[in-house]
């Protein structure tokens, strides 16, 4: 197509790249992809959209969410709506679905069909294995397009979310290494958590703070060490699915220096929430790993500044409201937080509170998760040839209100309800089309698509 042909759409604003901001710049779109990026006078286009004074970032890529862990595949519909409203244009969904996890290519094909029918945003998918005897299904899932694999050192359910024993994990890692895909691990030591929980219950310690006390830092770092050792032995790229501790990223760095493919992500709650918050929020602040001390949050930011963190995610898990209400026993409450709609406003706020540039948001909440999951260069960046996915941020003084969450009624709760934020999502674009206009989700179920892994290259954070 000739460059003289008008573009389908031009979006103006402060264009946020990973290394700089193009003040009063533009992005030009043809079809579903980015065709030009520039500054100065806009090129001719059939449609001009002016977001002058607002930031235009790449659509966020949330590398960690659970749409179907409590609601089954119908949960894709609501979670993807709130993603659209939050400026998250690509979700990487975990495999621990109700009633059965994604453990082979046929189950994956069923889930893909639901994604293509129900999702409001694009979605990449994790695969996992059965507790026993599922290793032979790994290659088939990789061929069918899973972006990564997820295993656990801790058991929530023997079928849906099993603990994988060490011999099985070694065999699985060897097979996953052949695919070049990343294997993320839920990293908590089962023996420590079970014993401490039993002791706490026996002593009548069931208040919210005991969720933190029964999952101490040691239970995380013990799991980190064993998974990275197995990764070093097998050649697999092993990734901490959520480190609440700066030490987790330091351990990953040590293993990279030893020649291992090791990495870890920080969920946004570990960059801002402390143990005091679970006392305040009760069940609505329960997640695994739990919130840590204010000192640990500061150490997390030091790890972020040092470039040790792979990327920032939400671990969005929209439990029904009644499953989060604390009634005297914190151990009976579902573990997980909502976070998709608050992701962009909160991340911008946390960066601005520390006088850090908005470019870091483009890097750690879009480009790097896309790279780790093999979705780059299609997803995760404002670059020619990439999908025209954008989140438009309006800066100012706002309050995040859980009542505005674009999901089912019983998912309209948030640990960040009432928090002051310094930005709001003014618009979201998916593949060139507006799917959120700042007030309503315009996308319909099925607007989103399954995004298979784009290549078999391994990325562990090297620039």
């Amino acid at each position: 197509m000739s460059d003289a042909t008008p573009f389908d759409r031009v979006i103006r604003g402060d264009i946020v790249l990973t290394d700089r901001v193009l003040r009063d710049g533009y992005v030009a779109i043809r079809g579903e992809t980015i065709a030009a990026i520039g500054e100065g006078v806009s090129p001719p286009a059939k449609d001009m959209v002016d977001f002058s004074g607002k930031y235009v970032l790449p659509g966020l890529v949330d590398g960690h969410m659970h749409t179907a862990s409590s609601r089954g595949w119908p949960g894709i519909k609501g979670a993807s709506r709130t993603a659209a409203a939050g400026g998250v244009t690509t979700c990487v969904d975990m495999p621990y679905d109700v009633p059965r996890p994604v453990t082979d290519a046929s189950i994956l094909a069923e889930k893909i069909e639901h994604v293509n029918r129900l999702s409001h945003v694009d979605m990449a998918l994790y695969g996992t294995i059965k507790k026993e005897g599922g290793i032979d299904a790994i290659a088939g899932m990789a061929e069918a397009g899973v972006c990564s694999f997820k295993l656990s050192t801790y058991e929530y359910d023997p079928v849906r979310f099993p603990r994988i024993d060490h011999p099985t994990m070694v065999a699985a890692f060897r097979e996953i290494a052949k695919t070049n895909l990343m294997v993320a691990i839920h990293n908590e030591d089962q023996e420590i958590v079970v014993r401490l929980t039993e002791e706490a219950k026996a002593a009548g310690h069931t208040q919210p703070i005991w969720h933190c006390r029964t999952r101490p830092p040691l239970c995380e770092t013990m799991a980190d060490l064993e998974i990275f050792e197995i990764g070093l032995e097998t050649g697999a790229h092993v990734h901490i699915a959520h480190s609440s501790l700066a030490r987790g990223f330091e351990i990953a760095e040590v293993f990279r220096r030893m020649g291992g493919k090791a990495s870890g992500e920080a969920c946004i709650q570990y960059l801002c929430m402390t143990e005091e918050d679970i006392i305040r929020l009760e069940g609505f602040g329960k997640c695994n790993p739990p919130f840590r001390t204010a000192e640990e949050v500061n150490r997390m930011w030091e790890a972020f500044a040092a470039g040790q963190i792979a990327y920032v995610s939400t671990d969005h898990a929209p439990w029904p409201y009644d499953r989060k209400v604390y009634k005297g026993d914190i151990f009976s409450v579902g573990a997980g937080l909502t976070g998709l709609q608050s992701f962009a406003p909160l991340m911008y706020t946390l960066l601005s509170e520390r006088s850090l540039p908005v470019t870091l948001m483009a890097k750690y909440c879009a480009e790097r998760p896309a790279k780790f999951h093999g979705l780059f260069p299609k997803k995760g960046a404002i670059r020619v040839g990439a999908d025209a996915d954008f989140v438009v941020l309006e800066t100012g003084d706002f309050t995040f209100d859980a009542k505005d969450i674009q999901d089912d009624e019983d998912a309209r709760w948030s640990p960040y309800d009432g928090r002051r934020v310094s930005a709001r999502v003014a618009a979201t674009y998916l593949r060139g089309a507006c799917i959120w206009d700042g007030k309503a989700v315009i996308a319909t179920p099925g607007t989103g698509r399954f995004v298979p892994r784009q290549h078999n290259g391994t990325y562990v954070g090297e620039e």
Side-chain angles (χ1 to χ4, degrees), residues 3-249:
D3 286 341
T5 306
F7 294 105
D8 293 328
R9 176 168 287 143
V10 165
I11 294 174
R12 291 200 68 91
D14 293 338
I15 310 300
V16 181
L17 309 177
T18 55
D19 60 346
R20 65 194 187 282
V21 178
L22 304 180
R23 298 287 173 186
D24 194 27
Y26 66 82
V27 181
I29 302 160
R30 276 206 183 104
E32 297 187 338
T33 57
I34 297 170
I37 303 159
E39 296 173 277
V41 179
S42 299
K46 297 168 190 169
D47 181 36
M48 298 287 297
V49 189
D50 190 356
F51 289 114
S52 294
K54 299 181 177 68
Y55 287 118
V56 179
L57 293 101
L60 302 194
V61 179
D62 189 350
H64 188 149
M65 55 178 294
H66 300 260
T67 62
S69 289
S70 65
R71 299 164 188 268
W73 289 335
I76 292 167
K77 186 177 176 182
S80 63
R81 282 187 84 241
T82 192
V88 177
T89 52
T90 306
C91 296
V92 184
D93 199 39
M94 286 294 172
Y96 296 127
D97 302 332
V98 174
R100 53 183 187 151
V102 179
T103 53
D104 63 43
S106 65
I107 299 173
L108 175 66
E110 284 185 58
K111 186 170 184 178
I112 290 169
E113 187 272 324
H114 279 77
V115 168
N116 289 334
R117 189 165 47 81
L118 295 175
S119 189
H120 296 78
V121 299
D122 286 352
M123 196 170 283
L125 298 176
Y126 265 95
T128 188
I129 63 170
K130 295 175 182 173
K131 189 175 172 76
E132 296 170 353
I135 292 166
D136 57 356
I138 287 169
M141 285 187 282
E143 287 166 17
V146 295
C147 63
S148 306
F149 288 93
K150 172 84 177 279
L151 309 179
S152 182
T153 60
Y154 181 88
E155 187 157 299
Y156 289 91
D157 181 276
V159 174
R160 188 182 69 80
F161 203 137
R163 175 185 178 266
I164 304 300
D165 65 39
H166 291 161
T168 306
M169 197 170 273
V170 172
F173 279 20
R174 283 199 202 286
E175 194 63 25
I176 292 168
K178 295 175 190 174
T179 71
N180 267 346
L181 271 62
M182 183 171 84
V183 54
I185 308 293
H186 180 101
N187 55 320
E188 293 181 295
D189 183 273
Q190 176 119 357
E191 290 184 11
I192 292 174
V193 174
V194 168
R195 179 68 60 85
L196 291 179
T197 303
E198 287 171 349
E199 290 174 354
K201 286 180 174 179
H205 296 316
T206 58
Q207 303 95 326
I209 193 61
W210 282 91
H211 178 62
C212 301
R213 299 282 178 268
T214 54
R215 300 178 116 87
L218 183 63
C219 88
E220 257 190 82
T221 52
M222 290 271 287
D224 295 340
L225 288 163
E226 68 188 36
I227 64 175
F228 286 144
E229 281 289 348
I230 299 172
L232 200 59
E233 171 71 20
T234 59
H237 174 188
V238 179
H239 176 84
I240 305 172
H242 32 41
S243 187
S244 69
L245 306 167
R247 182 157 156 70
F249 305 112

Side-chain angles (χ1 to χ4, degrees), residues 375-447:
L375 308 174
F376 186 87
K378 181 180 176 67
K379 296 295 186 183
I382 296 179
R383 65 201 301 275
V384 172
D387 282 0
D389 300 343
F390 311 106
V391 52
V392 181
L393 285 186
E394 175 187 353
T395 60
D397 188 9
F398 305 100
T399 301
F400 186 80
D401 190 339
K403 291 196 295 292
D404 295 333
I405 289 175
Q406 302 293 305
D407 201 341
D408 296 339
E409 184 66 39
D410 67 354
R412 287 181 195 150
W413 58 269
S414 168
Y416 311 109
D417 186 35
R419 193 193 200 281
R420 299 287 286 277
V421 288
S422 47
R424 72 173 198 95
V425 178
T428 307
Y429 284 79
L430 177 67
R431 289 181 268 107
C434 184
I435 60 169
W436 164 257
D437 65 3
K439 298 189 179 78
V441 175
I442 300 165
T444 53
T447 300

